[in-house]
Amino acid sequence: MCFDDNVATYSYGPIGGSPELFLSETIAQVDFQPWSGLGTAISESVTFYNGDYGYDVGGGFDRPFSEEEMLLGPRRFGWVEVTQSGARIASLRCIPETVSYGFGGGLYDAKLAAGLIWDSYSATWISDRIPLTAAPILIESRQSEAVADCLPASEFRLNGVRMGDPLNKLGKLGSPEATEETTNGGQPIDRMTLVGAHIDLVQDIVVAMSTTSPDWHLPSGLRVGLTRGEVIRILGRVPNGYTATSQTFVAHVCSEHQDADDEWSLLIAFGQDKRVSSISFVSPSH
């Protein structure tokens, strides 16, 4: 694993030979996990992603806590682990004597120089361009005596397209086509298939939207590609019932009527790289 001010690279293969696998990522995007500050060992790791596969490279050393241990010198270790869809499928441990590892500076400083801040709460990096919100946009509500979270109806938009909009308000996005899918009530669903997004309509009314592209965003700036920490910063906090490392966040639209037809829900899904992989809006009838 090597890096400069702009790019980090992963190269796996025989010493002096052509690599069997070579991956690269920008400093801003690469998944670097610094030492947590806890435990007897100091270690850091970098993970590169290639489709469903992740390649985690790490190194560290055990801290000496006695005079005898100090005389022995640092006990170093390193590893390469391969995952598929988050599950480990291969693991290699380095010969300790071959590991050269120095703690501090390096990639951490490169991340800071790129305008990023490490958030140990979510174990992700946050861009300094995303400001802290004065008040959370998540609003605590009670549904059937349970505490839940909701979002203002103004947030249920993608690039200005709002849940509940009629077809004639979608401008020049295109024309929906019939699908074989139906709602829970048996009504046919029409779909607009756009670059990076889908918009579903029933009787020419938007009932669902989804995107896997960073080009589509909510009014608050929520979009695909943000880290989990950046999403939490925009929302103001972790939604009730979830943790800072959950794979999904769900919130409902704030409504005075619990069983209203416009009781929409927002689903944010995170990929194995700890970034938003998709955003979906759905209604109960969909």
Side-chain angles (χ1 to χ4, degrees):
M1 203 293 290
C2 299
F3 69 94
D4 56 26
D5 292 341
N6 301 305
V7 176
T9 61
Y10 169 79
S11 179
Y12 181 84
I15 295 175
S18 299
E20 298 172 14
L21 180 65
F22 181 85
L23 302 171
S24 66
E25 190 58 89
T26 64
I27 292 295
Q29 290 288 117
V30 72
D31 185 3
F32 165 61
Q33 182 148 347
W35 179 47
S36 65
L38 303 174
T40 60
I42 293 176
S43 64
E44 298 178 335
S45 64
V46 188
T47 307
F48 293 80
Y49 299 98
N50 184 24
D52 292 334
Y53 293 91
Y55 301 86
D56 184 65
V57 183
F61 59 91
D62 292 320
R63 292 187 288 172
F65 286 96
S66 67
E67 291 185 6
E68 291 80 4
E69 289 178 342
M70 290 180 183
L71 291 174
L72 293 173
R75 292 171 295 181
R76 302 181 183 276
F77 55 87
W79 70 86
V80 177
E81 290 188 348
V82 183
T83 60
Q84 183 177 15
S85 301
R88 187 171 65 183
I89 60 173
S91 178
L92 297 173
R93 297 290 162 177
C94 299
I95 300 170
E97 293 75 17
T98 68
V99 177
S100 175
Y101 173 78
F103 169 69
L107 192 51
Y108 188 94
D109 286 348
K111 283 278 197 178
L112 296 181
L116 299 167
I117 304 165
W118 174 249
D119 176 44
S120 57
Y121 181 51
S122 64
T124 61
W125 292 85
I126 299 175
S127 170
D128 60 9
R129 295 190 298 271
I130 299 178
L132 288 168
T133 56
I137 62 173
L138 275 176
I139 301 171
E140 191 173 275
S141 65
R142 289 189 173 274
Q143 295 183 356
S144 302
E145 300 183 356
V147 177
D149 278 316
C150 65
L151 285 170
S154 59
E155 279 297 302
F156 284 74
R157 299 172 184 265
L158 280 177
N159 285 15
V161 179
R162 177 182 179 273
M163 288 285 286
D165 271 350
L167 177 60
N168 59 19
K169 289 190 66 176
L170 302 190
K172 299 179 180 180
L173 288 177
S175 300
E177 297 183 358
T179 70
E180 296 181 356
E181 300 176 28
T182 60
T183 66
N184 295 334
Q187 295 178 308
I189 295 175
D190 298 328
R191 178 167 298 151
M192 281 188 178
T193 302
L194 308 169
V195 178
H198 290 97
I199 300 175
D200 286 359
L201 302 97
V202 172
Q203 295 182 347
D204 291 343
I205 298 295
V206 176
V207 297
M209 296 187 288
S210 64
T211 180
T212 56
S213 167
D215 295 331
W216 293 79
H217 57 83
L218 280 65
S220 61
L222 286 172
R223 59 176 175 80
V224 168
L226 294 180
T227 66
R228 192 182 287 108
E230 290 169 336
V231 171
I232 294 171
R233 174 167 284 196
I234 291 173
L235 293 177
R237 56 181 170 81
V238 176
N240 279 313
Y242 298 88
T243 70
T245 57
S246 292
Q247 288 299 105
T248 59
F249 288 162
V250 175
H252 303 283
V253 67
C254 298
S255 173
E256 296 180 359
H257 308 290
Q258 181 175 333
D259 298 322
D261 290 338
D262 60 353
E263 187 71 8
W264 311 312
S265 297
L266 164 67
L267 170 63
I268 301 173
F270 298 96
Q272 64 171 338
D273 60 354
K274 309 165 195 170
R275 294 178 179 273
V276 178
S277 59
S278 66
I279 295 174
S280 303
F281 294 126
V282 295
S283 59
S285 62
H286 189 262

